[in-house]
Amino acid sequence: QVQLVESGGGLVQAGDSLRLSCSASGRTSSIYTMGWFRQAPGKEREFVARIMWSDGGTLYGDSVKGRFAISRDKAKNTLYLQMSSLKPEDTAVYYCAAKGPYRAQYDYWGRGTQVTVSS
């Protein structure tokens, strides 16, 4: 099992920056990919970004490309999401997730952290 705990959410203004963190514990050696997702009220969960834990390869959703950056600190078992040029439409609960190799779906999820961007 892998436990994930997000932190760093809050209320910011449009144009501000914010960094989210996700601390992983438990069987972290089984992690192959970690990602960030978000869900706004009344909307489907949306893919934000993912990173390959070993080589750091990244992928971003179209709505955040060029504004958000995903990174990880393997020594600290921590995932980050640096968010810049925030927009009101970025308001959502942000979740981190992890999965092992050859897994199509993410197996482990955090409880989420709220990000609210005011205009």
PDB file of all heavy atoms in Angstrom, residues 76-99:
ATOM      1  N   LYS A  76      13.001  12.380  -0.914  1.00  0.00           N
ATOM      2  CA  LYS A  76      11.973  12.745   0.073  1.00  0.00           C
ATOM      3  C   LYS A  76      10.630  12.072  -0.217  1.00  0.00           C
ATOM      4  O   LYS A  76       9.663  12.307   0.512  1.00  0.00           O
ATOM      5  CB  LYS A  76      11.783  14.261   0.087  1.00  0.00           C
ATOM      6  CG  LYS A  76      12.987  15.038   0.572  1.00  0.00           C
ATOM      7  CD  LYS A  76      12.702  16.535   0.597  1.00  0.00           C
ATOM      8  CE  LYS A  76      13.901  17.318   1.125  1.00  0.00           C
ATOM      9  NZ  LYS A  76      13.631  18.784   1.154  1.00  0.00           N
ATOM     10  N   ASN A  77      10.561  11.294  -1.290  1.00  0.00           N
ATOM     11  CA  ASN A  77       9.294  10.664  -1.693  1.00  0.00           C
ATOM     12  C   ASN A  77       8.170  11.691  -1.787  1.00  0.00           C
ATOM     13  O   ASN A  77       7.055  11.477  -1.289  1.00  0.00           O
ATOM     14  CB  ASN A  77       8.899   9.553  -0.720  1.00  0.00           C
ATOM     15  CG  ASN A  77       9.782   8.332  -0.858  1.00  0.00           C
ATOM     16  OD1 ASN A  77      10.188   7.967  -1.964  1.00  0.00           O
ATOM     17  ND2 ASN A  77      10.112   7.719   0.261  1.00  0.00           N
ATOM     18  N   THR A  78       8.488  12.797  -2.405  1.00  0.00           N
ATOM     19  CA  THR A  78       7.543  13.903  -2.488  1.00  0.00           C
ATOM     20  C   THR A  78       7.359  14.348  -3.926  1.00  0.00           C
ATOM     21  O   THR A  78       8.330  14.483  -4.682  1.00  0.00           O
ATOM     22  CB  THR A  78       8.009  15.085  -1.623  1.00  0.00           C
ATOM     23  OG1 THR A  78       8.122  14.649  -0.266  1.00  0.00           O
ATOM     24  CG2 THR A  78       7.009  16.234  -1.676  1.00  0.00           C
ATOM     25  N   LEU A  79       6.111  14.578  -4.267  1.00  0.00           N
ATOM     26  CA  LEU A  79       5.706  15.074  -5.574  1.00  0.00           C
ATOM     27  C   LEU A  79       5.296  16.525  -5.428  1.00  0.00           C
ATOM     28  O   LEU A  79       4.721  16.905  -4.413  1.00  0.00           O
ATOM     29  CB  LEU A  79       4.524  14.251  -6.087  1.00  0.00           C
ATOM     30  CG  LEU A  79       3.890  14.630  -7.414  1.00  0.00           C
ATOM     31  CD1 LEU A  79       4.829  14.247  -8.559  1.00  0.00           C
ATOM     32  CD2 LEU A  79       2.549  13.938  -7.564  1.00  0.00           C
ATOM     33  N   TYR A  80       5.601  17.324  -6.436  1.00  0.00           N
ATOM     34  CA  TYR A  80       5.257  18.742  -6.407  1.00  0.00           C
ATOM     35  C   TYR A  80       4.479  19.139  -7.650  1.00  0.00           C
ATOM     36  O   TYR A  80       4.593  18.515  -8.705  1.00  0.00           O
ATOM     37  CB  TYR A  80       6.524  19.601  -6.335  1.00  0.00           C
ATOM     38  CG  TYR A  80       7.389  19.324  -5.150  1.00  0.00           C
ATOM     39  CD1 TYR A  80       8.537  18.536  -5.266  1.00  0.00           C
ATOM     40  CD2 TYR A  80       7.071  19.837  -3.886  1.00  0.00           C
ATOM     41  CE1 TYR A  80       9.343  18.266  -4.174  1.00  0.00           C
ATOM     42  CE2 TYR A  80       7.872  19.570  -2.793  1.00  0.00           C
ATOM     43  CZ  TYR A  80       8.998  18.784  -2.945  1.00  0.00           C
ATOM     44  OH  TYR A  80       9.789  18.515  -1.855  1.00  0.00           O
ATOM     45  N   LEU A  81       3.701  20.205  -7.498  1.00  0.00           N
ATOM     46  CA  LEU A  81       3.068  20.839  -8.642  1.00  0.00           C
ATOM     47  C   LEU A  81       3.219  22.345  -8.464  1.00  0.00           C
ATOM     48  O   LEU A  81       2.594  22.931  -7.582  1.00  0.00           O
ATOM     49  CB  LEU A  81       1.588  20.468  -8.759  1.00  0.00           C
ATOM     50  CG  LEU A  81       0.895  21.023 -10.003  1.00  0.00           C
ATOM     51  CD1 LEU A  81       1.449  20.356 -11.265  1.00  0.00           C
ATOM     52  CD2 LEU A  81      -0.616  20.820  -9.926  1.00  0.00           C
ATOM     53  N   GLN A  82       4.083  22.934  -9.266  1.00  0.00           N
ATOM     54  CA  GLN A  82       4.263  24.376  -9.250  1.00  0.00           C
ATOM     55  C   GLN A  82       3.276  24.990 -10.231  1.00  0.00           C
ATOM     56  O   GLN A  82       3.325  24.699 -11.422  1.00  0.00           O
ATOM     57  CB  GLN A  82       5.690  24.745  -9.641  1.00  0.00           C
ATOM     58  CG  GLN A  82       5.964  26.233  -9.677  1.00  0.00           C
ATOM     59  CD  GLN A  82       5.893  26.866  -8.305  1.00  0.00           C
ATOM     60  OE1 GLN A  82       6.469  26.384  -7.343  1.00  0.00           O
ATOM     61  NE2 GLN A  82       5.166  27.981  -8.194  1.00  0.00           N
ATOM     62  N   MET A  83       2.381  25.811  -9.705  1.00  0.00           N
ATOM     63  CA  MET A  83       1.334  26.412 -10.520  1.00  0.00           C
ATOM     64  C   MET A  83       1.593  27.910 -10.631  1.00  0.00           C
ATOM     65  O   MET A  83       1.749  28.587  -9.611  1.00  0.00           O
ATOM     66  CB  MET A  83      -0.028  26.151  -9.891  1.00  0.00           C
ATOM     67  CG  MET A  83      -0.297  24.679  -9.643  1.00  0.00           C
ATOM     68  SD  MET A  83      -1.961  24.364  -9.027  1.00  0.00           S
ATOM     69  CE  MET A  83      -1.845  25.093  -7.393  1.00  0.00           C
ATOM     70  N   SER A  84       1.632  28.403 -11.852  1.00  0.00           N
ATOM     71  CA  SER A  84       1.881  29.817 -12.102  1.00  0.00           C
ATOM     72  C   SER A  84       0.761  30.392 -12.963  1.00  0.00           C
ATOM     73  O   SER A  84       0.015  29.636 -13.595  1.00  0.00           O
ATOM     74  CB  SER A  84       3.223  30.005 -12.805  1.00  0.00           C
ATOM     75  OG  SER A  84       4.273  29.450 -12.048  1.00  0.00           O
ATOM     76  N   SER A  85       0.672  31.700 -12.986  1.00  0.00           N
ATOM     77  CA  SER A  85      -0.348  32.379 -13.795  1.00  0.00           C
ATOM     78  C   SER A  85      -1.721  31.758 -13.580  1.00  0.00           C
ATOM     79  O   SER A  85      -2.446  31.447 -14.527  1.00  0.00           O
ATOM     80  CB  SER A  85       0.031  32.322 -15.283  1.00  0.00           C
ATOM     81  OG  SER A  85       1.292  32.902 -15.491  1.00  0.00           O
ATOM     82  N   LEU A  86      -2.059  31.587 -12.315  1.00  0.00           N
ATOM     83  CA  LEU A  86      -3.312  30.909 -11.986  1.00  0.00           C
ATOM     84  C   LEU A  86      -4.522  31.704 -12.467  1.00  0.00           C
ATOM     85  O   LEU A  86      -4.521  32.949 -12.473  1.00  0.00           O
ATOM     86  CB  LEU A  86      -3.388  30.670 -10.481  1.00  0.00           C
ATOM     87  CG  LEU A  86      -2.561  29.475  -9.995  1.00  0.00           C
ATOM     88  CD1 LEU A  86      -2.307  29.562  -8.509  1.00  0.00           C
ATOM     89  CD2 LEU A  86      -3.243  28.176 -10.367  1.00  0.00           C
ATOM     90  N   LYS A  87      -5.547  30.962 -12.881  1.00  0.00           N
ATOM     91  CA  LYS A  87      -6.784  31.534 -13.393  1.00  0.00           C
ATOM     92  C   LYS A  87      -7.945  31.060 -12.517  1.00  0.00           C
ATOM     93  O   LYS A  87      -7.848  29.991 -11.905  1.00  0.00           O
ATOM     94  CB  LYS A  87      -7.025  31.079 -14.826  1.00  0.00           C
ATOM     95  CG  LYS A  87      -5.869  31.351 -15.780  1.00  0.00           C
ATOM     96  CD  LYS A  87      -6.155  30.736 -17.133  1.00  0.00           C
ATOM     97  CE  LYS A  87      -5.001  30.962 -18.107  1.00  0.00           C
ATOM     98  NZ  LYS A  87      -5.275  30.346 -19.430  1.00  0.00           N
ATOM     99  N   PRO A  88      -9.047  31.791 -12.498  1.00  0.00           N
ATOM    100  CA  PRO A  88     -10.208  31.322 -11.719  1.00  0.00           C
ATOM    101  C   PRO A  88     -10.657  29.920 -12.133  1.00  0.00           C
ATOM    102  O   PRO A  88     -11.103  29.150 -11.272  1.00  0.00           O
ATOM    103  CB  PRO A  88     -11.271  32.372 -12.046  1.00  0.00           C
ATOM    104  CG  PRO A  88     -10.490  33.620 -12.311  1.00  0.00           C
ATOM    105  CD  PRO A  88      -9.253  33.154 -13.016  1.00  0.00           C
ATOM    106  N   GLU A  89     -10.484  29.581 -13.390  1.00  0.00           N
ATOM    107  CA  GLU A  89     -10.897  28.243 -13.835  1.00  0.00           C
ATOM    108  C   GLU A  89      -9.972  27.134 -13.339  1.00  0.00           C
ATOM    109  O   GLU A  89     -10.260  25.954 -13.560  1.00  0.00           O
ATOM    110  CB  GLU A  89     -11.011  28.187 -15.363  1.00  0.00           C
ATOM    111  CG  GLU A  89      -9.805  28.712 -16.105  1.00  0.00           C
ATOM    112  CD  GLU A  89      -9.970  30.168 -16.523  1.00  0.00           C
ATOM    113  OE1 GLU A  89     -10.471  30.989 -15.708  1.00  0.00           O
ATOM    114  OE2 GLU A  89      -9.586  30.489 -17.675  1.00  0.00           O
ATOM    115  N   ASP A  90      -8.887  27.495 -12.675  1.00  0.00           N
ATOM    116  CA  ASP A  90      -8.028  26.494 -12.036  1.00  0.00           C
ATOM    117  C   ASP A  90      -8.567  26.085 -10.661  1.00  0.00           C
ATOM    118  O   ASP A  90      -8.025  25.174 -10.028  1.00  0.00           O
ATOM    119  CB  ASP A  90      -6.604  27.016 -11.875  1.00  0.00           C
ATOM    120  CG  ASP A  90      -5.900  27.232 -13.211  1.00  0.00           C
ATOM    121  OD1 ASP A  90      -6.047  26.377 -14.101  1.00  0.00           O
ATOM    122  OD2 ASP A  90      -5.208  28.259 -13.349  1.00  0.00           O
ATOM    123  N   THR A  91      -9.604  26.756 -10.208  1.00  0.00           N
ATOM    124  CA  THR A  91     -10.206  26.429  -8.913  1.00  0.00           C
ATOM    125  C   THR A  91     -10.732  25.007  -8.921  1.00  0.00           C
ATOM    126  O   THR A  91     -11.518  24.630  -9.797  1.00  0.00           O
ATOM    127  CB  THR A  91     -11.331  27.414  -8.594  1.00  0.00           C
ATOM    128  OG1 THR A  91     -10.784  28.720  -8.436  1.00  0.00           O
ATOM    129  CG2 THR A  91     -12.056  27.004  -7.319  1.00  0.00           C
ATOM    130  N   ALA A  92     -10.284  24.208  -7.960  1.00  0.00           N
ATOM    131  CA  ALA A  92     -10.663  22.799  -7.895  1.00  0.00           C
ATOM    132  C   ALA A  92     -10.027  22.178  -6.660  1.00  0.00           C
ATOM    133  O   ALA A  92      -9.162  22.787  -6.016  1.00  0.00           O
ATOM    134  CB  ALA A  92     -10.200  22.054  -9.142  1.00  0.00           C
ATOM    135  N   VAL A  93     -10.439  20.957  -6.378  1.00  0.00           N
ATOM    136  CA  VAL A  93      -9.709  20.117  -5.434  1.00  0.00           C
ATOM    137  C   VAL A  93      -8.656  19.366  -6.239  1.00  0.00           C
ATOM    138  O   VAL A  93      -8.982  18.741  -7.258  1.00  0.00           O
ATOM    139  CB  VAL A  93     -10.635  19.131  -4.704  1.00  0.00           C
ATOM    140  CG1 VAL A  93      -9.809  18.239  -3.780  1.00  0.00           C
ATOM    141  CG2 VAL A  93     -11.698  19.881  -3.925  1.00  0.00           C
ATOM    142  N   TYR A  94      -7.417  19.465  -5.783  1.00  0.00           N
ATOM    143  CA  TYR A  94      -6.308  18.830  -6.480  1.00  0.00           C
ATOM    144  C   TYR A  94      -5.910  17.551  -5.741  1.00  0.00           C
ATOM    145  O   TYR A  94      -5.702  17.575  -4.523  1.00  0.00           O
ATOM    146  CB  TYR A  94      -5.127  19.780  -6.575  1.00  0.00           C
ATOM    147  CG  TYR A  94      -5.323  20.836  -7.637  1.00  0.00           C
ATOM    148  CD1 TYR A  94      -6.238  21.863  -7.448  1.00  0.00           C
ATOM    149  CD2 TYR A  94      -4.613  20.800  -8.837  1.00  0.00           C
ATOM    150  CE1 TYR A  94      -6.443  22.832  -8.425  1.00  0.00           C
ATOM    151  CE2 TYR A  94      -4.812  21.764  -9.818  1.00  0.00           C
ATOM    152  CZ  TYR A  94      -5.736  22.762  -9.599  1.00  0.00           C
ATOM    153  OH  TYR A  94      -5.926  23.715 -10.573  1.00  0.00           O
ATOM    154  N   TYR A  95      -5.802  16.470  -6.504  1.00  0.00           N
ATOM    155  CA  TYR A  95      -5.466  15.169  -5.944  1.00  0.00           C
ATOM    156  C   TYR A  95      -4.150  14.680  -6.537  1.00  0.00           C
ATOM    157  O   TYR A  95      -3.918  14.838  -7.739  1.00  0.00           O
ATOM    158  CB  TYR A  95      -6.538  14.143  -6.287  1.00  0.00           C
ATOM    159  CG  TYR A  95      -7.911  14.460  -5.757  1.00  0.00           C
ATOM    160  CD1 TYR A  95      -8.817  15.186  -6.516  1.00  0.00           C
ATOM    161  CD2 TYR A  95      -8.307  14.011  -4.500  1.00  0.00           C
ATOM    162  CE1 TYR A  95     -10.076  15.479  -6.047  1.00  0.00           C
ATOM    163  CE2 TYR A  95      -9.574  14.290  -4.017  1.00  0.00           C
ATOM    164  CZ  TYR A  95     -10.448  15.017  -4.796  1.00  0.00           C
ATOM    165  OH  TYR A  95     -11.699  15.300  -4.314  1.00  0.00           O
ATOM    166  N   CYS A  96      -3.333  14.061  -5.714  1.00  0.00           N
ATOM    167  CA  CYS A  96      -2.197  13.346  -6.273  1.00  0.00           C
ATOM    168  C   CYS A  96      -2.529  11.862  -6.291  1.00  0.00           C
ATOM    169  O   CYS A  96      -3.363  11.380  -5.517  1.00  0.00           O
ATOM    170  CB  CYS A  96      -0.897  13.627  -5.537  1.00  0.00           C
ATOM    171  SG  CYS A  96      -0.725  12.856  -3.938  1.00  0.00           S
ATOM    172  N   ALA A  97      -1.889  11.156  -7.204  1.00  0.00           N
ATOM    173  CA  ALA A  97      -2.168   9.743  -7.399  1.00  0.00           C
ATOM    174  C   ALA A  97      -0.885   9.029  -7.791  1.00  0.00           C
ATOM    175  O   ALA A  97       0.050   9.654  -8.313  1.00  0.00           O
ATOM    176  CB  ALA A  97      -3.229   9.564  -8.478  1.00  0.00           C
ATOM    177  N   ALA A  98      -0.868   7.718  -7.559  1.00  0.00           N
ATOM    178  CA  ALA A  98       0.313   6.923  -7.881  1.00  0.00           C
ATOM    179  C   ALA A  98      -0.118   5.575  -8.429  1.00  0.00           C
ATOM    180  O   ALA A  98      -1.191   5.066  -8.093  1.00  0.00           O
ATOM    181  CB  ALA A  98       1.196   6.747  -6.643  1.00  0.00           C
ATOM    182  N   LYS A  99       0.749   5.003  -9.247  1.00  0.00           N
ATOM    183  CA  LYS A  99       0.484   3.666  -9.758  1.00  0.00           C
ATOM    184  C   LYS A  99       1.804   2.947  -9.998  1.00  0.00           C
ATOM    185  O   LYS A  99       2.855   3.565 -10.148  1.00  0.00           O
ATOM    186  CB  LYS A  99      -0.343   3.692 -11.028  1.00  0.00           C
ATOM    187  CG  LYS A  99       0.294   4.399 -12.202  1.00  0.00           C
ATOM    188  CD  LYS A  99      -0.641   4.349 -13.414  1.00  0.00           C
ATOM    189  CE  LYS A  99      -0.062   5.099 -14.596  1.00  0.00           C
ATOM    190  NZ  LYS A  99      -0.931   4.971 -15.793  1.00  0.00           N
TER     191      LYS A  99
END
